Amino acid sequence: SKHSGLDLVAQVGTKLYPIESGRVVISKADWKESDKPTKRRKGKKGWRNGNFIVYETNSGLLIHYLHLSKVLTKVGQRVERCM
């Protein structure tokens, strides 16, 4: 879908690190066995995101990590920038 963000691709199981410190505002695990990671499936409300998190950075940006193999964060959890 069209958006102004940047899409990055990685192998399943690759660890993700925050680009900036912040707090998790959405942490959702809604992956279903019937979903295939290699095929897009359009649901009633648009493209499915599978497992995903959204966090708000200290500077106010919302960062979305979609199509995750696992969700290891909880809403309200602080995340720290790693380099």
Side-chain angles (χ1 to χ4, degrees):
S1 65
K2 290 194 175 216
H3 57 76
S4 60
L6 175 66
D7 288 328
L8 302 174
V9 178
Q11 292 184 355
V12 172
T14 299
K15 291 182 180 181
L16 297 176
Y17 298 97
I19 61 168
E20 189 178 326
S21 297
R23 186 168 308 278
V24 176
V25 294
I26 300 172
S27 182
K28 184 162 177 140
D30 72 348
W31 189 258
K32 295 181 178 147
E33 282 299 317
S34 61
D35 294 336
K36 302 287 184 193
T38 57
K39 292 183 180 178
R40 287 187 165 182
R41 296 180 59 175
K42 192 166 185 176
K44 292 180 183 176
K45 295 183 179 180
W47 295 108
R48 296 179 57 90
N49 294 323
N51 300 324
F52 68 98
I53 68 167
V54 177
Y55 80 94
E56 184 173 9
T57 67
N58 293 338
S59 63
L61 291 173
L62 289 176
I63 306 295
H64 300 241
Y65 289 110
L66 309 176
H67 313 295
L68 304 172
S69 58
K70 288 183 185 177
V71 173
L72 303 175
T73 58
K74 295 182 179 180
V75 172
Q77 180 178 337
R78 290 257 333 133
V79 293
E80 298 299 325
R81 179 181 181 202
C82 296
M83 297 268 320

